[in-house]
Amino acid sequence: PGMMLLLLGFFGFLHSWLNLFAELLRFGDRQFYQDWWNARSFAQYYRKWNCVVHDWIYNYLYLPVIDAGYSRTFAMAVVFGTSALIHEYILIMGCKFCYPVLLVMFGGLGVFFVPFTRLWRNARGWNIFLWSMLLIGQGVLLVLYSREYYARNLSINDPIKTQFINTDSFVPHSIQLFNHRAEILKLTQQ
């Protein structure tokens, strides 16, 4: 389901939605994405996935940091950090809760995989690795955000919520339930 959401979101937004508005507004340059599915490194994938966002980030974030005299590594960290914060903000507004899994995945693993996949340039195996990580990452995001959404939307009168979830705690509700799984299992078996 996670990969299906990724592909449907890609087709729905980057292909259909943007091309619809390009047609309506008679916008000539319609290269919203390139062949990201053939990318052999995460750097290639990030450049090809969404050309509109990549070009904006490159011109208005990456190059100004480089021009200010900072290293390429620092500029890349600024770009990934900013992208992670924006994506997390979008999820916070959509889900109505803060659960920074995407922030960690973008800001941590996303940054790590760029130099990691540069070790052996253009090896065909990296495309398989990229697709595997996309598949695993989308699955993890879907499961974790679904669990948190479910835990936060339990009925106020639900005994599980009243007994095991501390709403004043910064610990996500799904993790609080996971920590009390044995007690919850006993409660549900009664």
Side-chain angles (χ1 to χ4, degrees):
M3 186 55 81
M4 183 179 69
L5 283 176
L6 174 77
L7 295 175
L8 287 175
F10 161 76
F11 180 78
F13 181 71
L14 289 176
H15 185 75
S16 301
W17 186 259
L18 292 180
N19 275 308
L20 170 73
F21 277 94
E23 186 70 31
L24 293 174
L25 299 172
R26 297 182 179 184
F27 185 67
D29 181 15
R30 295 191 186 174
Q31 188 170 7
F32 302 118
Y33 60 90
Q34 294 176 355
D35 61 336
W36 58 269
W37 48 89
N38 291 328
R40 293 184 178 177
S41 72
F42 272 85
Q44 255 186 358
Y45 167 75
Y46 294 135
R47 283 192 299 271
K48 293 180 173 189
W49 164 253
N50 187 341
C51 293
V52 177
V53 172
H54 172 266
D55 291 346
W56 188 90
I57 284 177
Y58 183 76
N59 289 317
Y60 295 103
L61 273 177
Y62 185 79
L63 288 180
V65 172
I66 295 290
D67 292 342
Y70 293 100
S71 69
R72 290 174 54 183
T73 304
F74 181 76
M76 185 179 75
V78 168
V79 165
F80 273 94
T82 305
S83 178
L85 288 172
I86 291 170
H87 281 83
E88 190 63 39
Y89 177 76
I90 291 168
L91 276 176
I92 289 170
M93 292 297 111
C95 296
K96 306 286 189 255
F97 60 82
C98 179
Y99 190 51
V101 175
L102 186 70
L103 185 74
V104 170
M105 289 180 83
F106 267 41
L109 292 174
V111 174
F112 171 74
F113 282 142
V114 170
F116 181 68
T117 55
R118 286 185 186 159
L119 293 176
W120 300 279
R121 288 194 178 262
N122 293 327
R124 291 182 191 266
W126 287 119
N127 184 257
I128 296 168
F129 177 75
L130 177 114
W131 274 97
S132 301
M133 292 300 103
L134 288 176
L135 181 69
I136 292 168
Q138 290 298 319
V140 166
L141 285 175
L142 186 65
V143 166
L144 291 178
Y145 276 96
S146 298
R147 288 176 58 111
E148 185 64 20
Y149 184 82
Y150 169 76
R152 287 183 180 267
N153 288 301
L154 288 171
S155 169
I156 294 173
N157 300 326
D158 194 322
I160 291 174
K161 185 167 189 163
T162 57
Q163 290 180 26
F164 302 111
I165 295 178
N166 178 5
T167 55
D168 296 330
S169 174
F170 69 91
V171 177
H173 294 190
S174 58
I175 294 176
Q176 290 182 43
L177 291 178
F178 180 76
N179 290 338
H180 296 286
R181 62 191 176 278
E183 299 159 51
I184 293 170
L185 190 60
K186 287 178 188 174
L187 182 68
T188 55
Q189 290 177 346
Q190 291 177 354

